[in-house]
Amino acid sequence: MNKRFFAISIIFISIIAASCSSQKASTASSGNKGLKDYYKDFFPIGVAVAPRHLAGDEAQLILQQFNSLTPENAMKMGPIHPQEDRYNWRDADSIVDFAQRHGLKVRGHNLCWHSQAPRWMFIDKEGKTVSKEVLLQRLKDHITTVVNRYKGKLYAWDVVNEAISDRNDEYLRNSEWLKICGEEYIARAFQYAHEADPNAVLFYNDYNEISPVKREKIYRLVKSLKDAGVPIHGVGLQGHWAVNEPSRGQLDSTIKRFADLGLKVQVTELDISVYPKEHDARERKSADADTTFTPQKEQQQLEVYKMSFGLFRKYKNVVSGVTFWNIADRYSWLDNFPVRNRKDYPLLFDRNLKPKKAYWEVVKF
Ligand code: GLA
């Protein structure tokens, strides 16, 4: 055997060996069931991501556990459309490409919201507030362009996010959208999205849906849209909950109430904070110093997760998706809300991406 042939054979053998061992590794990991497998007869299990999560150990965890993605920020109006004549597709594209490569579903989030909207949307070149006609035309251009770009690659959109007021004496949030266009902007947003992609499942999405007062306002809005023939297909319950809420009764009646609308219900932004629920950002207090994930917090959180998933399964004919807001306790928006820099542990995986006790309760049924 000459030297060259020997060298080539060694390279060839090592390539075969490497490919066998990587095949073994991937078979081993696909043998580990993930949330998506436990729930395959119920609904897709999604997760909100940023492009930085799509490599390394977080990407592996995503592929093992989830079968749907939501861009955490990349498709919001401000990030994706920072100037009237400029779209920033990079981050949203990278998430959609990753999903396409790996056969994951994608929920678009979101097309019209009072927050993270670019300033230019509402003003003209002189800085004066635009008319209703101009704003609706801008909204139409935005929705048409974004929905068209991802047509056939996204199965659903949160069309309007958080239009309901948190004040007990007020129905709709007094946003720029409402001030300039009146209530009509909501129906228009759904029409524009439906025209751009008639196959996309269109959602109204909001938080604190478990509060009886806010729930009825969301119900009223969605029902009025449906009754007017607006193309709306589902209600997104964000599900930013906590160790002290919702109770079983509260969550059961919430899902039931929205099921009565005859639309699909999705839990779109699930996390369960280990601190009692607070709805508004506030200053740090001395009592916030202890951020240990104690066995007591772990137990309380596990019970809320167990109860919630039990109800999602009970309503499996209505619940068509459950999406977690972030992957693991390594990073959550709740680390900075309602208190800046207060570590929270709201998800099913710990900082090392290992399943927590709550995970095993969610998959035990
Ligand atoms: C709301 C929005 C989300 C996200 C969270 C905080 O729930 O719908 O897009 O901004 O707030 O992360």
Side-chain angles (χ1 to χ4, degrees):
M1 200 191 312
N2 71 30
K3 264 195 196 149
R4 198 154 160 264
F5 182 73
F6 181 72
I8 290 172
S9 314
I10 293 290
I11 292 171
F12 188 66
I13 289 166
S14 351
I15 291 173
I16 303 257
S19 104
C20 286
S21 80
S22 88
Q23 247 175 33
K24 227 159 99 193
S26 73
T27 324
S29 64
S30 63
N32 295 337
K33 275 170 96 173
L35 289 166
K36 63 177 166 49
D37 307 303
Y38 291 102
Y39 279 89
K40 71 175 185 332
D41 297 330
F42 292 85
F43 31 72
I45 306 275
V47 62
V49 296
R52 67 175 187 283
H53 301 127
L54 304 180
D57 56 354
E58 286 171 313
Q60 277 173 24
L61 187 73
I62 291 170
L63 294 176
Q64 189 196 13
Q65 298 289 337
F66 302 96
N67 50 6
S68 175
L69 300 182
T70 300
E72 180 179 4
N73 287 298
M75 288 184 185
K76 291 173 178 170
M77 197 181 262
I80 208 167
H81 196 174
Q83 287 158 349
E84 185 161 16
D85 52 2
R86 187 168 72 85
Y87 283 87
N88 168 24
W89 301 118
R90 198 193 53 197
D91 288 0
D93 280 2
S94 75
I95 294 170
V96 175
D97 290 348
F98 179 89
Q100 293 264 292
R101 272 202 307 283
H102 297 286
L104 309 178
K105 291 170 169 287
V106 187
R107 291 188 91 254
H109 175 83
N110 57 59
L111 295 170
C112 182
W113 188 27
H114 67 281
S115 183
Q116 291 183 259
R119 191 67 206 126
W120 67 261
M121 182 61 74
F122 307 104
I123 53 175
D124 65 14
K125 292 209 167 60
E126 278 80 54
K128 290 211 290 290
T129 304
V130 292
S131 66
K132 173 176 176 178
E133 288 65 37
V134 170
L135 186 55
L136 287 178
Q137 186 59 50
R138 286 181 178 178
L139 180 64
K140 180 173 189 182
D141 292 344
H142 171 81
I143 291 182
T144 308
T145 309
V146 176
V147 173
N148 250 316
R149 183 172 183 93
Y150 300 114
K151 196 170 172 164
K153 298 180 177 172
L154 269 64
Y155 81 104
W157 272 103
D158 289 327
V159 178
V160 176
N161 199 32
E162 305 179 352
I164 296 292
S165 173
D166 288 320
R167 294 174 44 165
N168 281 353
D169 58 349
E170 194 173 64
Y171 173 40
L172 294 174
R173 181 187 297 276
N174 196 21
S175 65
E176 292 297 290
W177 298 106
L178 187 75
K179 282 191 262 188
I180 300 173
C181 303
E183 187 172 347
E184 192 185 332
Y185 82 89
I186 301 173
R188 291 292 195 109
F190 280 92
Q191 275 150 7
Y192 303 149
H194 187 63
E195 277 160 28
D197 184 355
N199 294 322
V201 188
L202 305 182
F203 284 83
Y204 173 73
N205 193 47
D206 215 326
Y207 63 88
N208 201 17
E209 61 303 284
I210 54 175
S211 135
V213 177
K214 191 149 177 204
R215 183 197 306 162
E216 285 315 301
K217 288 193 274 185
I218 301 174
Y219 182 93
R220 168 178 161 194
L221 172 65
V222 174
K223 183 159 184 347
S224 72
L225 293 169
K226 199 178 163 240
D227 291 349
V230 173
I232 176 168
H233 313 116
V235 189
L237 317 182
Q238 291 188 0
H240 292 297
W241 299 328
V243 283
N244 64 330
E245 65 169 49
S247 66
R248 173 185 294 278
Q250 209 177 1
L251 184 55
D252 195 320
S253 47
T254 302
I255 303 179
K256 192 163 178 318
R257 183 71 172 139
F258 291 116
D260 289 346
L261 284 166
L263 299 177
K264 290 297 177 197
V265 172
Q266 291 205 356
V267 180
T268 53
E269 306 185 16
L270 183 60
D271 44 28
I272 295 175
S273 170
V274 299
Y275 304 104
K277 187 72 189 174
E278 290 178 86
H279 292 277
D280 299 311
R282 65 162 172 85
E283 293 294 309
R284 232 185 137 73
K285 294 190 284 212
S286 55
D288 298 319
D290 184 7
T291 59
T292 328
F293 186 48
T294 58
Q296 191 204 3
K297 288 187 175 125
E298 185 176 38
Q299 185 62 28
Q300 290 171 334
Q301 182 188 50
L302 164 165
E303 275 157 19
V304 183
Y305 263 119
K306 182 177 170 187
M307 177 278 290
S308 304
F309 273 85
L311 286 175
F312 302 159
R313 292 193 302 273
K314 170 176 167 189
Y315 286 101
K316 74 170 191 171
N317 294 331
V318 177
V319 175
S320 67
V322 175
T323 294
F324 286 84
W325 207 249
N326 303 132
I327 306 167
D329 290 347
R330 192 180 277 182
Y331 158 76
S332 158
W333 73 291
L334 293 169
D335 296 338
N336 288 300
F337 184 87
V339 182
R340 283 201 76 74
N341 215 2
R342 179 185 66 170
K343 184 67 197 148
D344 205 334
Y345 309 86
L347 298 155
L348 290 183
F349 301 94
D350 67 16
R351 286 196 254 198
N352 297 318
L353 311 189
K354 295 282 171 278
K356 291 157 63 179
K357 281 190 188 157
Y359 175 96
W360 300 112
E361 294 297 328
V362 161
V363 300
K364 194 167 71 189
F365 56 89

